[in-house]
Amino acid sequence: CAIMDPPRPECVDAIKIAHGAGVRVAMITGDHKDTALAIGGMLGLVDKAHSEAITGPELDAMTDEELQVAAPKYNVFARASPQNKIRIVKALQAQGEVCGMTGDGVNDAPALKAADMGV
């Protein structure tokens, strides 16, 4: 027996609209890697170019320079800590990306502040 909490339809629609406008959408979550990939697939974040997820412990083992190379390769970041979230935002910004971040918890506040746009 398992509990399923699928993404809301309006989230799926919003991501489709963002993709249509040329916006790359990534998900940074504390969820397990397999769960994150499943949800990412439902949201349309998993595709041929971004078929895998990377975990917080894997990010922790990377230098900032290595993370700058890795971050654009993933749309799903799993088991991410608040520190991982900030590093992901900063790595993407270092590559010239404009980063927007959404979050609903105290653990999201530092990354929301670091992002170019926090919601």
Side-chain angles (χ1 to χ4, degrees):
C1 179
I3 297 174
M4 179 66 166
D5 186 15
R8 293 188 305 244
E10 59 268 26
C11 292
V12 176
D13 293 340
I15 290 170
K16 283 181 187 174
I17 291 167
H19 284 162
V23 175
R24 176 176 164 238
V25 179
M27 178 178 68
I28 307 173
T29 180
D31 288 341
H32 185 274
K33 186 175 183 176
D34 292 339
T35 303
L37 276 171
I39 301 270
M42 291 179 209
L43 290 169
L45 302 179
V46 178
D47 56 25
K48 285 186 179 189
H50 304 94
S51 61
E52 295 296 320
I54 191 166
T55 66
E58 291 170 306
L59 299 174
D60 290 336
M62 293 181 182
T63 66
D64 289 343
E65 293 75 20
E66 290 169 330
L67 181 54
Q68 287 176 23
V69 172
K73 297 178 182 178
Y74 297 92
N75 281 348
V76 177
F77 299 85
R79 290 286 190 222
S81 69
Q83 294 79 15
N84 295 144
K85 294 175 185 183
I86 295 169
R87 288 188 69 216
I88 293 163
V89 167
K90 289 184 177 182
L92 292 169
Q93 289 170 328
Q95 295 296 313
E97 299 289 334
V98 175
C99 293
M101 174 85 181
T102 64
D104 63 357
V106 171
N107 63 334
D108 296 317
L112 286 164
K113 186 173 180 181
D116 298 293
M117 179 180 66
V119 179

